[in-house]
Amino acid sequence: MIFSLTLLCLSHCRNCTSLAEMMKFFLIVNKQGQTRLSRYYDPVVVQRRTLLESEVIKLCLSRPKDQCSFIEYKDFKLVYRQYAALFIVVGIDESENEMAIFELIHNFVEVLDKYFSRVVSTDCHLRHRF
């Protein structure tokens, strides 16, 4: 059920030209480095996705909590937030406002929290079927 709402929100965002232009990808990753959800808004070859996700996950998981949640990575920026055992990572254009995306992530999590109680990483993995 969580993925129904998640994919509905992300599918709607895909059709929104301004949001789709600024967001390159959206990842939900657990502390073990396993991707629980990935959504790409630009076409990316599967092999490139795997490499990109592993590099991005390593960057985000290795940073101390007292460091900034914005990272410049190749030709885009990473904005991430940690919620319990999950990291939400968004890749954006260099020209986008990091704080706006940081707040977007928080609002997204608040909406999920409002509609679903006690959602954990395994729920994301087990309910995800494409």
Side-chain angles (χ1 to χ4, degrees):
M1 190 155 174
I2 182 174
F3 271 23
S4 302
L5 180 62
T6 304
L7 293 176
L8 177 65
C9 292
L10 294 176
S11 295
H12 176 70
C13 292
R14 184 175 180 87
N15 297 330
C16 177
T17 55
S18 62
L19 190 56
E21 288 174 3
M22 71 179 183
M23 288 178 62
K24 302 297 181 190
F25 57 85
F26 183 94
L27 301 173
I28 298 179
V29 180
N30 67 12
K31 279 187 176 181
Q32 289 75 34
Q34 300 167 320
T35 303
R36 296 303 185 190
L37 173 76
S38 64
R39 182 69 169 198
Y40 289 83
Y41 299 97
D42 286 338
V44 180
V45 180
V46 175
Q47 292 84 3
R48 172 84 171 99
R49 285 183 184 192
T50 306
L51 179 63
L52 176 73
E53 287 176 21
S54 67
E55 289 176 357
V56 165
I57 291 167
K58 284 178 191 173
L59 279 173
C60 294
L61 292 177
S62 65
R63 290 174 64 94
K65 290 185 180 189
D66 62 344
Q67 283 192 333
C68 181
S69 295
F70 312 137
I71 304 171
E72 290 190 21
Y73 175 76
K74 297 189 179 181
D75 59 342
F76 52 87
K77 296 178 194 173
L78 302 174
V79 178
Y80 71 93
R81 287 188 88 152
Q82 180 180 0
Y83 292 92
L86 293 177
F87 284 81
I88 298 178
V89 184
V90 179
I92 59 171
D93 272 343
E94 291 181 346
S95 62
E96 290 304 324
N97 184 340
E98 298 96 340
M99 287 303 292
I101 300 300
F102 196 69
E103 188 65 25
L104 175 80
I105 294 170
H106 183 69
N107 290 335
F108 176 74
V109 171
E110 282 186 349
V111 168
L112 291 178
D113 190 46
K114 179 86 172 167
Y115 288 101
F116 307 102
S117 62
R118 306 209 30 97
V119 175
V120 294
S121 173
T122 53
D123 290 339
C124 296
H125 181 67
L126 295 175
R127 295 180 183 173
H128 182 52
R129 302 279 187 249
F130 280 107

